[in-house]
Amino acid sequence: MALTGIQIYKLLPQTNCKECGFPTCLAFAMKLAAKQVELSACPYVTPEAKTQLAESAAPPIRLVTLKSDGYEVKAGNEVVLFRHDKTFYNKPGLFIRLFDNQPIDAIKEVVTEASTYAVNYVGMDLTVDGFVVASTAGDPNAFTTAVQAVRAASKRPVILMTRDANVARAGLKALQGETPLIYGADATNWEAFADLAKEAKTSLGVVAGSLAEMADLTEKIKTKGVEDLVIDPGGRDLGSGLALGTTIRRLAIKKNFRALGFPMITFPGDVGDPGLEALHAAQAITKYAGFIVMDHFSPASIYPLLVLRQNIYTDPQKPIQVQPGIYEINAPKPESPVLVTTNFSITYFSVANEVEGSGLPAWLLVTDAEGMSVLTAWAAGKFDAERIAKAVKGFNVADKVSRKRIVLPGHVAVLSGELEGELPDWEIRVGPREAVDLPAFMKQAL
């Protein structure tokens, strides 16, 4: 059982040394009980106390990992109810479901299209994570054939979906050396599935009609030595799905209720309508699925889901950044202008995309502003004349150009005078405030 703050306090050194960042050991213990700090923050906790605190320090939602040849999908390990409390760690896996009564060529076609789909979003490649093979008639041969077809077209992780442990066992034979998820154990078959999951060292999906039944089932399965569980709480409509997902998350995070402390799997594909399916998937991303199973794949529907997921699972305290440096756009020549911006990813791509789309050659100097946008960095003192001049010299920009001409973002025109002082042999120009106006500025003013 998880320990209370007072119980944790009794195991701490009680020296109030403040090296953990809190004024007293009691304050640290309370934060530790709330999963808002790591035990490693206390440098003086004894090995004996560490052992006793291990359960309390463990994330309230167990980490479950699916693996295949070169790919893995992680879910769980979350410690907060809301992202603004800290951050979310493991993005929910987006899976596409195939059925074993579909023609083999059709399975391969869908899997190939989904597996090869990738979209670059502010420097990151976003993709679908894996596939689900669902048994329709409990035929081990048909199921195995479908699993083999998926594996022939993609190496990404697989979820085996059947209520028959013998069918699941047949599917596992086609995935030797991998760690798939087998779904689903229920009140009638859980012992056979638990034995199979333990033997194959796989994760196990658990289905139940109520939260009480789910908690009872997961405790029983754990006695069989299977700890990596994924739970399906039901709730196929938006209202009940939201209520169940929030209740489970709250019980796990706020009450340390270990019987429900597992990633959830949801099935937006069950709604049938592709438009509503995307809506259900969006809700599952935000509240609080670990694995999301869809029945339809199209770039138009999957792209916004991938971007939504990326935005929610980006640490708000660590902005997405690009590497500072001097970037070439449209094969610049020595006489091409040098544009300046910060290393905030969205700012960089806004500028780079506008210039690249115009076909005009330019050098883009990206300065280290700790991942902040232009105005934010300037206000925080992270984007000033001294830093820009340091980047110009550090990246040897003068060696690449014959005309020393640098263009500041219009929002920081106030820096032009200071930059002339830092770079006396450079021509300092002030560009537009918005990236979208850069092509016109470059054509008319440079």
Side-chain angles (χ1 to χ4, degrees), residues 265-288:
I265 184 169
T266 62
F267 293 87
D270 284 353
V271 72
D273 184 310
L276 288 176
E277 180 181 23
L279 183 62
H280 282 243
Q283 176 176 281
I285 289 171
T286 55
K287 303 283 183 182
Y288 293 98

Side-chain angles (χ1 to χ4, degrees), residues 255-268:
K255 302 296 182 182
N256 286 320
F257 188 58
R258 298 291 185 182
L260 294 178
F262 302 98
M264 288 179 281
I265 184 169
T266 62
F267 293 87

Side-chain angles (χ1 to χ4, degrees), residues 105-247:
D105 288 343
I107 291 176
K108 289 183 176 178
E109 181 180 354
V110 172
V111 173
T112 300
E113 181 185 7
S115 188
T116 55
Y117 176 78
V119 59
N120 187 276
Y121 176 70
V122 291
M124 297 172 289
D125 288 329
L126 308 182
T127 63
V128 170
D129 298 286
F131 300 93
V132 177
V133 181
S135 173
T136 55
D139 181 351
N141 293 327
F143 192 64
T144 302
T145 301
V147 175
Q148 291 171 334
V150 170
R151 186 46 76 235
S154 173
K155 299 298 183 186
R156 300 200 178 174
V158 168
I159 297 174
L160 302 176
M161 188 174 177
T162 173
R163 297 297 180 90
D164 187 330
N166 291 323
V167 175
R169 182 182 295 278
L172 282 172
K173 291 180 180 177
L175 301 172
Q176 294 292 324
E178 302 182 23
T179 308
L181 169 68
I182 53 175
Y183 169 107
D186 58 28
T188 64
N189 63 19
W190 68 270
E191 290 183 284
F193 266 94
D195 291 340
L196 179 60
K198 184 176 181 181
E199 175 187 336
K201 299 180 181 177
T202 66
S203 304
L204 178 59
V206 185
V207 190
S210 68
L211 295 187
E213 183 184 335
M214 179 67 78
D216 179 60
L217 205 49
T218 57
E219 290 297 301
K220 288 178 179 176
I221 293 172
K222 285 163 66 177
T223 64
K224 286 274 193 178
V226 180
E227 298 280 351
D228 291 338
L229 304 179
V230 175
I231 57 177
D232 175 7
R236 296 300 192 255
D237 62 85
L238 287 171
S240 60
L242 176 62
L244 285 168
T246 304
T247 301

Side-chain angles (χ1 to χ4, degrees), residues 20 22 27-41 56-57 79 86:
C20 61
F22 294 93
F28 177 70
M30 293 301 176
K31 289 290 184 182
L32 193 60
K35 313 299 178 195
Q36 295 176 347
V37 295
E38 303 291 337
L39 178 60
S40 58
S56 182
V79 296
K86 190 175 182 182

Side-chain angles (χ1 to χ4, degrees), residues 72-86:
E72 69 175 21
V73 180
K74 294 182 177 180
N77 244 9
E78 306 301 337
V79 296
V80 294
L81 191 61
F82 304 109
R83 191 186 72 155
H84 62 258
D85 289 336
K86 190 175 182 182

